[in-house]
Amino acid sequence: MLLIQCPYCGERPEPEFAYGGQAHIARPAQPAQTSPQEWTAFLYLRNNTRGVHAERWRHTRGCGRFFNALRDTTTDRFLATYKVGEQPPVDGADA
Amino acid sequence: MKPFSGFALFRQGLRGQRGWTPQWRAAEPKPAYDAVIVGGGGHGLGTAYYLAREHGMRNIAVLEKGWIGGGNTGRNTTIIRSNYLFAESAALYDHALKLWEGLSQELNYNMMFSQRGVMMLAHTVHDMQVAQRHVHANRAAGVDNEWLTPGQARAFCPPLNIGDIRYPVLGAALQRRGGTARHDAVAWGYARGADALGVDIIENCEVTGIRSGPGGAVEAVDTTRGRIRTPRVGVVAAGNTSVVMKMAGVALPLESYPLQALVSEPVKPVFPCVVMSNTIHAYISQSDKGELVIGAGTDAYTSYTQRGALHIPSHALEAICELFPMFRRLKMLRNWGGIVDVTPDRSPIIARTPVPGLYVNCGWGTGGFKATPGSAHVFAWTIAHDEPHPINAPFTLERFRDGNLIDEAAAAAVAH
């Protein structure tokens, strides 16, 4: 079980959280001008990183807020958690 | 290849079992092949076998970064069924099931294939509607599936507790042709069969790069044991498919999650079939060795660690103890995880890619074992003909762009 540092509440056990998938995926700004390939990338294509992965979590059974995290998917160790809208605090993340 | 037979077994018995030989060669990589399969699990070895046997491609290699069958082929819960909702899926999985039925004879290798029946429980009104829709869809598609009352379900599986539990059993869908097989034997049988046809099976050989020529077509793969030239590469790398395909610049709609399973201490034969419950999420069968083989769910997050958190199998065990009170005092023996590559619609991708000569067979998610022979058979066709077999034609990469999803995710929600 993971111990996750919520940026608002502190360290809590994994069952309090919901996983939100890859972070920093921006919805296309001009939907009408967006090609099917770009929609495919937005909706379906994922980095599925083997290494440091930028991802979203939501503290559903705590404060209810979304935040971002950097986790190494080869060890499941968290490098950092940070608030939505902030950039990854560690270089080398495959965001 | 020396064929296995009752007579051979008897003769070896008289000679102290000293005459058995290795079942495949420890091949060294050659500088070039007509085709290279990346991934030595059941699907990859089967692909090589069918390429050699049905399409006459003998100069091929299977590259495996570890040992064959050491990934998800050796980590699954060995359940075989074909009762999927949509016509495309039912055709694919039933193609596999039909191949399973003759596989031991074809490969001269005992798959311990046992059609003991797969029973999927319904615990709510919604479950009953979904399960009955599956039964009707399957029967219309020519796939056997039948509806059982709670009493009939209990008669089919006497250890089942249908009554005094939080979610009582309201009925069940039973596919009698479903069952189990020995997972390791699938890898070993295909490896032995492919090797006898001249296929090189190269273990401890990790692919580190995929090289394309000036026209964009595949030319070679770089490996930890040197460069291998080849015009055709089939990637069947399960949880690591995204990593391998990234080497060729192909992004896929995949995410890799740990999926856990566990076995109990071995006991005498007590459990006659396979039982699955999607709603309270557990599935269980008994191996011929006597262990109860229990499947848990995926962990919530993507990972490549081949392990997960204890609360996932513990949740599955709570469901097992409710459904089968007689197992409450059993001890669990081993618990492990495998990394499964999941697509957004929970259907596989068996297709060509934007890179000419590069083919991918992935996205089997939490339920690829059952499809092994069918998947390998149609993937070999796809590589040999450079176009999909009619059965895997709907399972393209482009279906996500074009909106032609085969949405088994919505149809079953969990536990494929």
Side-chain angles (χ1 to χ4, degrees), chain B residues 23-28 30 33 35-37 44-53 57-63 190-202:
Chain B
Q23 295 177 30
W24 58 88
R25 296 162 291 129
E28 288 297 316
K30 291 194 277 192
Y33 288 96
V36 163
I37 306 299
L45 293 162
T47 303
Y49 171 76
Y50 290 115
L51 273 173
R53 204 205 59 178
M57 292 179 69
R58 302 286 171 98
N59 184 31
I60 57 181
V62 178
L63 308 183
Y190 272 128
R192 175 170 168 268
D195 178 83
L197 294 170
V199 173
D200 280 356
I201 294 160
I202 303 163

Side-chain angles (χ1 to χ4, degrees), chain B residues 72-153:
Chain B
N72 292 350
T73 300
R75 292 165 188 266
N76 60 76
T77 49
T78 79
I79 297 168
I80 294 164
R81 60 187 178 88
S82 65
N83 53 353
Y84 281 70
L85 180 64
F86 294 114
E88 297 89 340
S89 316
L92 176 61
Y93 289 100
D94 211 52
H95 180 55
L97 185 42
K98 284 173 187 155
L99 288 171
W100 276 116
E101 287 169 342
L103 200 59
S104 293
Q105 287 73 22
E106 168 162 356
L107 294 174
N108 176 236
Y109 207 96
N110 187 3
M111 296 287 157
M112 298 165 75
F113 179 53
S114 160
Q115 291 178 296
R116 59 185 67 181
V118 172
M119 191 164 75
M120 301 176 81
L121 304 178
H123 303 273
T124 64
V125 172
H126 176 73
D127 272 0
M128 290 177 69
Q129 291 167 343
V130 169
Q132 291 187 1
R133 184 180 171 209
H134 272 74
V135 168
H136 295 312
N138 286 155
R139 293 171 77 106
V143 173
D144 75 303
N145 201 350
E146 61 193 272
W147 179 253
L148 302 184
T149 63
Q152 289 170 325

Side-chain angles (χ1 to χ4, degrees), chain A residues 18-37:
Chain A
Y19 183 65
Q22 187 181 326
H24 307 296
I25 300 174
R27 183 179 166 83
Q30 302 286 339
Q33 273 83 55
T34 302
S35 71
Q37 281 74 17

